[in-house]
Amino acid sequence: SAVISQKPSRDICQRGTSLTIQCQVDSQVTMMFWYRQQPGQSLTLIATANQGSEATYESGFVIDKFPISRPNLTFSTLTVSNMSPEDSSIYLCSADRDTDTQYFGPGTRLTVL
Amino acid sequence: GENVEQHPSTLSVQEGDSAVIKCTYSDSASNYFPWYKQELGKRPQLIIDIRSNVGEKKDQRIAVTLNKTAKHFSLHITETQPEDSAVYFCAAKTDGNKLVFGAGTILRVKS
């Protein structure tokens, strides 16, 4: 399995500001993903973080709102831009080592006031 | 794209009884089906998975069955214990190695 950490674990932000969430994996992985989990809901894929190229976004998510970086095979960041209260959610990263299995980070709980 | 439906949304069982959660998927090309357990405030944890070339897989009290023809798969937990209480998510892997999740099942095991 992969050990995945995220920073920050939680944050409270003012509307209109941006927050960058970091995801670190303990070993090199091919695939990294970012999900959103709204309170009491399932996981929704935001984008696939590609190393060396732009992220691939799912329908309903755009780069201007959720810019993603993947500078190497162990690290990725997700920025939530120009936040509104509707962005309050848990944001999770996951990693896949070419074995189909995805392991999740602990999540970042974001509250936007 | 892939769509995964999960039932029931909540399930209450008595300790020691069995629990069954069912999922259906729409994309016949999906070939990997994991199940995750998520306790309150924690990350989703993989508990068992199955690939499309296998019909059944078991790990102690947990088993998963897959019917490719009907495009459904199920999680079976036997001899349930209070610590099994959590939210369970099924998922299907589709193109681009993406996982599409079901809506989740809240399992309550009453002691």
Side-chain angles (χ1 to χ4, degrees):
Chain A
S1 66
V3 176
I4 304 173
S5 60
Q6 283 184 237
K7 288 195 294 188
S9 58
R10 59 177 62 228
D11 208 342
I12 301 173
C13 301
Q14 297 297 320
R15 73 168 65 211
T17 63
S18 298
L19 176 72
T20 296
I21 303 167
Q22 298 179 7
C23 179
Q24 179 75 55
V25 188
D26 67 336
S27 57
Q28 293 185 347
V29 293
T30 305
M31 312 287 288
M32 293 183 75
F33 304 88
W34 287 97
Y35 290 84
R36 182 173 72 185
Q37 187 175 30
Q38 296 181 310
Q41 302 295 313
S42 185
L43 291 85
T44 301
L45 181 64
I46 297 171
T48 303
N50 302 308
Q51 198 268 327
S53 64
E54 269 193 10
T56 305
Y57 289 85
E58 297 302 303
S59 176
F61 298 97
V62 295
I63 188 171
D64 289 346
K65 177 66 176 176
F66 298 102
I68 287 171
S69 78
R70 176 103 190 262
N72 57 51
L73 292 175
T74 64
F75 185 79
S76 178
T77 67
L78 168 76
T79 298
V80 186
S81 302
N82 189 24
M83 290 184 284
S84 67
E86 293 71 38
D87 295 319
S88 297
S89 191
I90 296 172
Y91 292 86
L92 295 134
C93 69
S94 74
D96 178 342
R97 267 211 203 107
D98 290 332
T99 60
D100 289 330
T101 307
Q102 281 189 29
Y103 297 98
F104 284 86
T108 295
R109 182 179 295 272
L110 171 62
T111 302
V112 184
L113 303 177
Chain B
E2 176 66 282
N3 182 52
V4 177
E5 295 192 359
Q6 183 172 345
H7 299 281
S9 56
T10 60
L11 178 60
S12 291
V13 299
Q14 202 66 36
E15 182 178 0
D17 288 350
S18 296
V20 180
I21 302 170
K22 299 181 179 182
C23 289
T24 60
Y25 61 99
S26 61
D27 187 353
S28 56
S30 291
N31 58 10
Y32 173 71
F33 307 92
W35 286 88
Y36 288 87
K37 174 184 180 182
Q38 187 175 32
E39 297 176 72
L40 191 63
K42 301 286 183 62
R43 74 186 80 191
Q45 295 272 15
L46 178 74
I47 57 171
I48 197 166
D49 56 11
I50 192 166
R51 289 174 173 77
S52 58
N53 58 348
V54 175
E56 183 173 357
K57 184 177 178 181
K58 190 172 181 181
D59 182 3
Q60 300 182 347
R61 297 187 297 110
I62 296 173
V64 56
T65 59
L66 171 64
N67 183 326
K68 282 176 57 180
T69 303
K71 289 190 281 189
H72 65 68
F73 56 111
S74 300
L75 177 71
H76 304 252
I77 305 174
T78 58
E79 301 171 23
T80 53
Q81 301 166 2
E83 51 266 37
D84 294 329
S85 297
V87 182
Y88 290 81
F89 293 99
C90 64
K93 177 166 273 193
T94 180
D95 60 297
N97 286 333
K98 297 182 294 187
L99 286 180
V100 176
F101 283 82
T105 296
I106 300 171
L107 174 63
R108 296 190 184 94
V109 180
K110 297 175 286 187
S111 56

